[in-house]
Amino acid sequence: MNDVIYNLTIGDPVNLFWVGLGTMLGILVGAIPGLTGAMLIALTLPLTYAMQPTEAMVLLVSMYVGSISGGLITATLLRMPGTPASVITTLDGYPMARDGKPGRALGLGIMSSFVGGLISWGFLILLAKPISHISTELGDFDYFALVLVALVLIASVSGKSLAAGIFSGLFGILVTIPGESPATGVTRATLGIEQLNGGFDLLPVLIGLFAVSQVIHEVAQKGGAVEQVSKVRPEGILLGAKDWVAHLVNMVRSSVIGTWVGILPGIGANVGSVMAYSAAKSMSKQPEAFGTGSEEGVVASEAANNATIGGALIPLVAMGIPGSVIDAILLGALILHGLQPGVLLFQNNPDVVYTIIFTMLIANIAMFGMMVLSAKWISRLATIPRHYLLPVVIVFCVVGSYALNNRMFDVWVMLAFGVVGFVMERNKIPLAPFVIGFVLAPIAEEKLGAGLQASSGSYLELVQRPVALTFVLISVVLVVWPIYKSLTKSRSITEDGDGQAEQAEQAEQEDNS
Amino acid sequence: MSNDSTSKSTTRLLIRGGMWLTVLMAMIWYALDTGSNDANSGYPNRPITLIVPFGPGGESDTFARMIQRTIAENQFLDQEIVVKNVGGAGATIGSGQARKAEPDGYTMLILHEALITAQVSGKVSYGPESFEPIAASGKTNMVIAVAEDSPYQTLQELMQAAKETPNELVFAANLGAPVHYAGLILEKELPGAHFVYTQKGGGASRFEAVIGGHVDVSAFSLGEYVSFKDGGLRAIAISSEVRHPEAMEIPTAKEQGFNFVHANMHFWWFPKGTEQSKIDFMANVIRKCMATPQVHSQLATRLSEPFIETGQPMKDVLKDRIGKIQSVDASSPDVLPNIPLWVSVATALSFVYWLLSKKRNADPSGVPKQPEENDVISGRYLQTAGLFVGVTSLYLLALEYLPIDFRILTSIYMLDVAVLCYGLSQKQFKRLILDSYVPDMVILFPLVVFFVFQSFFSIQLP
């Protein structure tokens, strides 16, 4: 149809140049902890005033694709998620790299990012128009129940000790309490500190937990055995057809989850990767490998976070509703260039709509090429001696946390959570449940609050609405199932086996201290 | 072997020379580029910081940057205006920072009615009285809208329904923010009418709630309404005095018998105590900006008016708004469970459970105490970790409170961290200084970071 003509717009050399530039900058910024894609795009936006609207959108969407993907390099090799979207990738990517398979870990991540992007692109072009009718049907209680499902998944990502996982998740929720109540806007529990009125910002907390705690650990380690990330040069980034086939089911499933999460407003790429990761774990034949370098974990996380891009673009182009922070900025860009998203945009400016859609496809291909070619080069970061690397990383953390809101308070928060993360790691408390609780609790609270305000305090709708009821039932099953499983398991395993597991754990504890 | 080390040191010399030369040239270029515009004694003689209390990309940020660009392009000021985004907590983080700034005319705040509503709703203790208003600019009307298939065709019908069945109709709001107050001020027009307010946040979420049938009504800016209306939104009233030329089909609230005349505008503020001459000067600059064709055409795309008011008329506008906002009660019924309490209790319980399960796992096996050597290593490990955290805290304290340049402090800090990584003995220190690139990195890296953030991202580092 006419689509082909619009396809040609993107084939324009100028546009291709913007795709290349945008994707590359996105990857670099995504790879640097503290600099996010949202920041890059927001700060590039004023520079696009002089450009054609289509060119501006090409540049910005390419940055979006690059920045969500770039985070996986540092997440895998340095355990520093360059963006919140790649937090979950650290859980398995880093152990893989440490065990001498950095190239393979990167290759899997890049491959699944590419596939995730492609699959969600398919959804984007198919669903952009019809989807608008479905998403508005979901009410507050439906949303709340949906988030509830994700929250109870904490239990399934808690690793060896369920008690430690639950504590970690609840602690993450507790940290969201100070600041503005998401449900009422009332300020609470700030202990009189005015700077805390907005609560703890996501980025400083995550940079602290994942990057700073790691830096503390690395700096302090000089006495004991040096835990180098990996001295092995990353080989085999380009995977064979066998690997593509082996991970196909997981990639498709994670991409679909990611796309779906992306469509829902307010939930970003990080939640998509969390949900896909949990799903992959519960369906895996080797769930115990998750968190220790599972290939499936890397694939699930990276396929899903890239898939959220296509998902989030659906409501943006279809209705002008942003699915994430970055999409909100893209929406601002469209309006600045005099374009109103919505049904009218499809009628009056199909060139813009299809340029956005095809940019995502081409930027994905560009991302794949660039990452495969440059990952080796970027991964050499991992072989730099620590006395070069760590000062640079910690300064990036400081500057990145500061630049977020232009205030020192965020930098202090970052340092404090660096210490918290360090202490938690030493006590074998997993970090992933903390992050899930921290990210999801405010959404759950806001939706529950809005629902209760509208129903004047009645919870009845939670079981009256079919969608809400379905999700509530799923979460009940998710709570009961692991308990049931662990009960039957402990009955079948002899005391001997139990003792062995304990001994192994203790041995590991000794190793670490 | 000596040959090898000679070639190694030659390489090092080359790399080092190259690095330094590049940086030196970049710095000279930069100095030449920016050195031309100082030598000016009157106000302003250095860049003015404009605090935008929201993240980049939003309505206020876009407006502020539009003015910033217009000022620069038309050279209305000898100096640059530097936009500083300080988002969070309903704009109170940014407004708090502006309030505490020196009243020297070099810190400015742009903030709409949220400055008033934040005080009235009890979020913060200060309000407009803690600032010097400079100007009110860029008027955007509000639209009261329902879903396309809503039974309410006019504002009259809606308000009657709200009166007959009070606290039944749901109004999507951003609690404690201007939209919430728009609803409250509207319902005051018909005594006995009451909406239930529900937390929905930004315009897009409110839109979705309306067309999804989850709420009955909400308020939008005219610009938002126009971009959303094809999704199934129907306006029943606009808050302007007369019908808007771009949206003639929307009847005003006034012609339907409700004195609901209301427009959002951006107010410009200086900290309390700024000299009157500086206020007047800046008011004049903003006035000139609002008169330019660039601003006119950009505002027109968003259906905003190039409204500008300064001096006494602006103070009257402000006083009127404060009075209206103070006249309504924004407290909402408490229907939520005590979430902070529940979460705290649950966290405490799970902590105890975790401690118990840890103990249970450790006790029965009765492992002997770990060898002493391990204790020593573990002690040293924790000591270094503590030292690192201490050094970092000192660095942050210095950044926050000492008037020393970011670049110098960061250089010192990076050297400290490098030493911590490499080893604390004198011999190791000597080797680090003489035999590695650490000194180069420590000096060059802060310069590069500073340059990139300051000039490319225009973020002022501490």
Side-chain angles (χ1 to χ4, degrees):
Chain A
M1 282 195 304
N2 287 347
D3 293 11
V4 184
I5 299 164
Y6 308 125
N7 194 357
L8 288 178
T9 331
I10 183 71
D12 195 23
V14 179
N15 281 342
L16 285 181
F17 168 75
W18 291 124
V19 170
L21 183 72
T23 312
M24 195 174 68
L25 284 174
I27 292 173
L28 285 179
V29 165
I32 298 171
L35 295 181
T36 64
M39 198 179 202
L40 174 73
I41 292 168
L43 296 165
T44 311
L45 182 56
L47 305 176
T48 67
Y49 291 138
M51 296 163 68
Q52 292 290 318
T54 47
E55 286 176 21
M57 294 313 291
V58 167
L59 179 65
L60 297 173
V61 172
S62 307
M63 285 178 167
Y64 188 4
V65 172
S67 68
I68 297 283
S69 317
L72 85 94
I73 300 179
T74 33
T76 303
L77 297 177
L78 304 173
R79 204 195 184 196
M80 286 155 197
T83 51
S86 46
V87 168
I88 300 300
T89 311
T90 57
L91 300 181
D92 288 290
Y94 177 73
M96 273 186 79
R98 201 184 43 196
D99 294 345
K101 290 181 285 185
R104 192 166 168 76
L106 283 176
L108 284 169
I110 297 169
M111 170 185 79
S112 8
S113 293
F114 178 64
V115 173
L118 277 190
I119 291 178
S120 77
W121 180 80
F123 280 106
L124 171 63
I125 199 160
L126 282 178
L127 296 180
K129 272 186 186 177
I131 199 74
S132 54
H133 302 287
I134 300 168
S135 69
T136 55
E137 295 295 317
L138 290 182
D140 296 311
F141 283 109
D142 301 329
Y143 268 108
F144 171 70
L146 173 66
V147 177
L148 197 65
V149 172
L151 270 175
V152 298
L153 284 173
I154 285 178
S156 68
V157 287
S158 28
K160 281 184 200 130
S161 161
L162 190 66
I166 291 173
F167 167 62
S168 175
L170 282 167
F171 185 40
I173 296 174
L174 185 69
V175 169
T176 67
I177 296 292
E180 235 181 354
S181 154
T184 59
V186 173
T187 315
R188 65 185 179 195
T190 60
L191 312 167
I193 305 166
E194 215 170 79
Q195 294 277 4
L196 205 51
N197 278 355
F200 296 106
D201 230 310
L202 178 71
L203 215 59
V205 171
L206 291 188
I207 293 177
L209 277 181
F210 286 89
V212 178
S213 76
Q214 186 67 18
V215 172
I216 298 176
H217 173 70
E218 296 272 339
V219 169
Q221 261 224 334
K222 69 172 193 308
V226 178
E227 193 187 343
Q228 264 287 354
V229 183
S230 164
K231 287 210 164 146
V232 187
R233 296 207 54 179
E235 298 292 343
I237 289 175
L238 211 53
L239 301 173
K242 216 175 107 194
D243 291 308
W244 289 71
V245 172
H247 288 289
L248 195 64
V249 176
N250 187 1
M251 283 195 288
V252 171
R253 181 185 52 229
S254 306
S255 304
V256 171
I257 293 175
T259 309
W260 173 243
V261 168
I263 291 170
L264 300 173
I267 314 184
N270 41 355
V271 180
S273 64
V274 169
M275 291 184 70
Y277 184 82
S278 308
K281 187 178 177 185
S282 56
M283 296 190 192
S284 170
K285 287 190 191 103
Q286 301 160 299
E288 68 282 354
F290 277 68
T292 61
S294 162
E295 296 194 349
E296 291 167 85
V298 176
V299 167
S301 167
E302 281 304 319
N305 68 25
N306 273 66
T308 58
I309 302 174
L313 282 175
I314 293 172
L316 177 75
V317 294
M319 307 160 68
I321 291 181
S324 71
V325 179
I326 294 182
D327 290 280
I329 306 170
L330 291 180
L331 176 66
L334 278 172
I335 292 172
L336 267 172
H337 285 282
L339 299 163
Q340 303 290 352
V343 184
L344 276 182
L345 192 66
F346 276 92
Q347 286 170 10
N348 303 346
N349 304 83
D351 55 329
V352 176
V353 176
Y354 287 100
T355 299
I356 292 175
I357 292 179
F358 277 94
T359 298
M360 192 197 151
L361 177 69
I362 296 186
N364 234 299
I365 298 167
M367 178 277 295
F368 184 72
M370 284 182 192
M371 298 269 280
V372 166
L373 291 178
S374 68
K376 251 184 191 172
W377 178 75
I378 298 180
S379 70
R380 284 168 72 182
L381 285 171
T383 57
I384 298 174
R386 285 183 311 186
H387 56 275
Y388 290 123
L389 189 61
L390 297 182
V392 168
V393 170
I394 188 77
V395 168
F396 263 128
C397 292
V398 169
V399 170
S401 299
Y402 177 81
L404 187 68
N405 281 324
N406 282 298
R407 55 176 189 157
M408 283 302 287
F409 178 75
D410 286 329
V411 187
W412 288 108
V413 169
M414 172 207 81
L415 181 63
F417 278 94
V419 175
V420 167
F422 178 73
V423 172
M424 281 170 73
E425 293 262 89
R426 270 191 71 79
N427 287 293
K428 297 197 168 301
I429 300 172
L431 294 179
F434 181 98
V435 176
I436 298 174
F438 183 71
V439 171
L440 292 183
I443 304 173
E445 200 184 338
E446 183 192 331
K447 297 300 176 190
L448 179 67
L452 287 177
Q453 282 154 2
S455 72
S456 300
S458 156
Y459 287 88
L460 218 56
E461 273 188 60
L462 210 48
V463 290
Q464 278 175 342
R465 300 181 64 93
V467 179
L469 181 64
T470 313
F471 285 135
V472 168
L473 288 178
I474 292 176
S475 30
V476 169
V477 169
L478 283 172
V479 170
V480 175
W481 181 247
I483 298 173
Y484 172 76
K485 219 162 95 178
S486 76
L487 281 179
T488 51
K489 202 169 152 193
S490 66
R491 223 176 280 146
S492 67
I493 290 178
T494 57
E495 273 183 18
D496 202 304
D498 244 4
Q500 267 176 5
E502 258 170 38
Q503 269 170 15
E505 201 165 311
Q506 271 150 16
E508 201 178 292
Q509 258 169 8
E510 278 162 33
D511 274 358
N512 254 357
S513 57
Chain B
M1 201 173 124
S2 72
N3 224 349
D4 192 39
S5 73
T6 320
S7 79
K8 216 173 168 184
S9 66
T10 317
T11 322
R12 178 168 296 151
L13 208 67
L14 275 174
I15 294 178
R16 210 169 247 189
M19 281 199 304
W20 281 100
L21 202 68
T22 317
V23 169
L24 212 65
M25 275 163 63
M27 278 169 70
I28 291 170
W29 169 74
Y30 184 63
L32 286 178
D33 203 39
T34 55
S36 50
N37 56 350
D38 32 21
N40 196 331
S41 52
Y43 172 79
N45 58 15
R46 59 189 164 93
I48 297 172
T49 304
L50 172 61
I51 294 182
V52 174
F54 300 96
E59 156 77 22
S60 291
D61 183 59
T62 319
F63 188 84
R65 286 178 193 272
M66 176 183 75
I67 298 294
Q68 173 207 30
R69 240 186 1 269
T70 313
I71 290 178
E73 280 166 13
N74 295 292
Q75 298 184 321
F76 289 145
L77 274 179
D78 295 337
Q79 290 291 336
E80 215 185 337
I81 293 208
V82 182
V83 171
K84 182 176 175 187
N85 294 98
V86 187
T92 57
I93 307 268
S95 63
Q97 211 178 81
R99 186 172 73 111
K100 291 200 186 112
E102 282 294 314
D104 53 8
Y106 290 99
T107 305
M108 217 175 7
L109 171 73
I110 178 169
L111 182 52
H112 49 60
E113 289 182 356
L115 185 59
I116 310 168
T117 57
Q119 183 186 29
V120 175
S121 63
K123 254 183 217 170
V124 284
S125 57
Y126 58 86
E129 77 288 344
S130 303
F131 295 88
E132 306 280 2
I134 307 166
S137 64
K139 216 161 159 179
T140 308
N141 287 116
M142 303 282 284
V143 168
I144 305 293
V146 295
E148 214 154 44
D149 54 4
S150 162
Y152 310 109
Q153 299 298 329
T154 64
L155 188 58
Q156 190 69 45
E157 285 174 27
L158 178 82
M159 297 304 288
Q160 275 306 328
K163 189 179 179 179
E164 276 155 28
T165 54
N167 297 325
E168 280 284 322
L169 291 184
V170 183
F171 188 108
N174 190 3
L175 296 184
V179 173
H180 185 195
Y181 282 88
L184 290 165
I185 293 168
L186 174 66
E187 76 177 17
K188 248 189 80 192
E189 287 296 315
L190 187 66
H194 286 293
F195 295 116
V196 176
Y197 295 91
T198 174
Q199 174 72 332
K200 282 294 176 191
S205 327
R206 297 201 302 277
F207 160 71
E208 197 176 317
V210 172
I211 65 159
H214 309 297
V215 301
D216 296 294
V217 58
S218 188
F220 301 90
S221 76
L222 183 58
E224 280 174 338
Y225 169 72
V226 169
S227 67
F228 294 158
K229 70 176 176 194
D230 292 310
L233 209 57
R234 178 158 52 81
I236 54 173
I238 186 166
S239 68
S240 49
E241 285 277 352
V242 293
R243 292 196 182 197
H244 195 280
E246 296 287 331
M248 285 303 281
E249 72 281 4
I250 310 174
T252 65
K254 213 169 179 182
E255 70 188 69
Q256 300 183 62
F258 298 93
N259 188 24
F260 177 63
V261 178
H262 177 95
N264 275 336
M265 50 191 106
H266 296 282
F267 290 101
W268 301 76
W269 314 86
F270 270 140
K272 190 87 192 165
T274 307
E275 285 166 54
Q276 188 60 41
S277 62
K278 289 177 179 169
I279 299 172
D280 294 340
F281 179 84
M282 196 49 75
N284 193 33
V285 168
I286 297 168
R287 190 176 273 283
K288 276 198 276 189
C289 253
M290 295 303 291
T292 58
Q294 289 119 294
V295 168
H296 278 235
S297 70
Q298 288 200 34
L299 285 181
T301 62
R302 278 181 278 155
L303 303 186
S304 295
E305 294 165 39
F307 169 86
I308 170 86
E309 205 65 89
T310 56
Q312 196 54 46
M314 163 199 65
K315 285 186 183 157
D316 293 340
V317 170
L318 199 54
K319 208 173 148 199
D320 175 57
R321 294 312 304 163
I322 295 173
K324 277 216 174 111
I325 287 171
Q326 278 174 342
S327 71
V328 294
D329 174 20
S331 63
S332 47
D334 196 10
V335 291
L336 283 172
N338 189 342
I339 290 169
L341 180 72
W342 287 111
V343 170
S344 309
V345 169
T347 312
L349 284 178
S350 73
F351 182 66
V352 172
Y353 174 57
W354 170 70
L355 278 182
L356 286 176
S357 76
K358 204 177 161 192
K359 217 171 167 191
R360 198 181 51 214
N361 281 344
D363 260 354
S365 50
V367 213
K369 245 199 147 321
Q370 288 165 1
E372 272 182 26
E373 198 187 330
N374 260 352
D375 278 354
V376 173
I377 289 174
S378 164
R380 202 189 297 151
Y381 173 80
L382 286 180
Q383 212 177 4
T384 320
L387 210 55
F388 171 74
V389 173
V391 167
T392 308
S393 306
L394 281 179
Y395 165 62
L396 296 185
L397 280 174
L399 273 183
E400 195 165 2
Y401 297 111
L402 293 184
I404 303 177
D405 194 275
F406 168 83
R407 287 160 282 194
I408 298 169
L409 284 173
T410 307
S411 290
I412 298 171
Y413 172 64
M414 285 179 80
L415 184 63
D416 291 344
V417 176
V419 168
L420 272 181
C421 294
Y422 201 71
L424 286 170
S425 80
Q426 213 169 0
K427 206 170 121 201
Q428 281 165 320
F429 182 72
K430 226 170 165 180
R431 214 163 64 205
L432 189 72
I433 296 294
L434 297 176
D435 219 22
S436 76
Y437 295 116
V438 164
D440 310 65
M441 174 189 79
V442 152
I443 296 170
L444 293 182
F445 185 72
L447 292 178
V448 172
V449 168
F450 190 79
F451 176 76
V452 167
F453 272 82
Q454 208 94 330
S455 25
F456 183 60
F457 290 123
S458 76
I459 285 168
Q460 301 289 310
L461 292 174

